[in-house]
Amino acid sequence: MPFEGQQILPAIRSMKDFDKMLKFSFRYGVFLDLHVNMLKSVFDYARSEGKEMFLHMDLIQGLANDEYACEFICQTIKPYGIISTRSNVIKKARQLNVKAIQRTFVIDSNALLRSVQLIQKTDPDYIELLPGVVPKVIERIREKTGKPIIAGGLIDTPLEVEQAISAGACAITTSSQQLWDYFSK
């Protein structure tokens, strides 16, 4: 089972958020919105606390979101995994044996078709599907790709988490500390 059965992947936007995450038993999480100068110290700290963290490549401040930046990050920072909407970043992470999450936004039937085609091309380890509040889309993407789905975006309640999991998501990314608390029990 992905993430050792952990259904919530805390999405960290600040060091204050990360300090709060450390109070929970979560092993896996996602760093968002980090400045390039913070990467090494933040990942060293996470590792020292036994945390396996993904890095959202599209949101690093001060670093291009391309395969060269991905190669640099994977070789020097060594995150547990990378998240990106960019196919070249996902492919580079996979080449370097770093877990890769293809982030995709499905807003209509055409976006669904394009997302499936992109996923087949990049072959990520996981798919982060946004918005994550549409169980039907979670089911379809999972059926068409065979990849584990992580649902994210607009998930606000325990019921919405449970609906996404029931539809086939293996986990939920969320910055909601209320959901962290609810699902850490």
Side-chain angles (χ1 to χ4, degrees), residues 130-150:
L130 286 95
V133 291
V134 187
K136 176 171 87 171
V137 177
I138 294 170
E139 291 171 3
R140 284 190 185 166
I141 293 276
R142 190 163 172 254
E143 285 172 10
K144 291 181 182 297
T145 67
K147 298 287 182 180
I149 305 293
I150 300 166

Side-chain angles (χ1 to χ4, degrees), residues 57-82:
M57 286 289 300
D58 300 3
L59 301 177
I60 298 173
Q61 301 162 24
L63 197 63
N65 181 23
D66 61 22
E67 66 271 20
Y68 304 108
C70 182
E71 184 173 16
F72 169 78
I73 293 296
C74 291
Q75 291 177 346
T76 60
I77 305 302
K78 299 179 171 94
Y80 178 75
I82 294 293

Side-chain angles (χ1 to χ4, degrees), residues 6-133:
Q6 181 181 317
Q7 292 181 327
I8 296 292
L9 299 177
I12 309 302
R13 294 192 180 276
S14 68
M15 286 310 295
K16 190 184 284 188
D17 288 347
F18 186 60
D19 287 337
K20 288 178 183 171
M21 178 193 167
L22 293 176
K23 295 177 183 170
F24 294 95
S25 62
F26 298 120
R27 180 174 176 194
Y28 301 92
V30 177
F31 280 124
L32 309 170
D33 301 323
L34 283 178
H35 188 279
V36 67
N37 284 339
M38 294 179 63
L39 292 173
K40 182 169 178 8
S41 61
V42 168
F43 272 89
D44 287 347
Y45 183 37
R47 278 190 279 278
S48 76
E49 295 292 326
K51 304 302 180 189
E52 302 282 359
M53 300 298 291
F54 287 90
L55 177 62
H56 197 308
M57 286 289 300
D58 300 3
L59 301 177
I60 298 173
Q61 301 162 24
L63 197 63
N65 181 23
D66 61 22
E67 66 271 20
Y68 304 108
C70 182
E71 184 173 16
F72 169 78
I73 293 296
C74 291
Q75 291 177 346
T76 60
I77 305 302
K78 299 179 171 94
Y80 178 75
I82 294 293
I83 300 174
S84 182
T85 58
R86 311 257 324 228
S87 59
N88 56 342
V89 171
I90 296 301
K91 286 179 180 180
K92 181 54 74 176
R94 296 276 290 152
Q95 286 175 356
L96 297 169
N97 294 316
V98 173
K99 298 284 184 201
I101 299 176
Q102 177 78 56
R103 186 179 231 203
T104 187
F105 298 87
V106 178
I107 58 170
D108 59 22
S109 298
N110 194 33
L112 175 67
L113 177 62
R114 284 192 325 267
S115 293
V116 169
Q117 291 169 341
L118 178 66
I119 291 159
Q120 291 169 340
K121 184 173 127 184
T122 60
D123 191 32
D125 296 292
Y126 302 94
I127 301 159
E128 184 183 28
L129 179 62
L130 286 95
V133 291

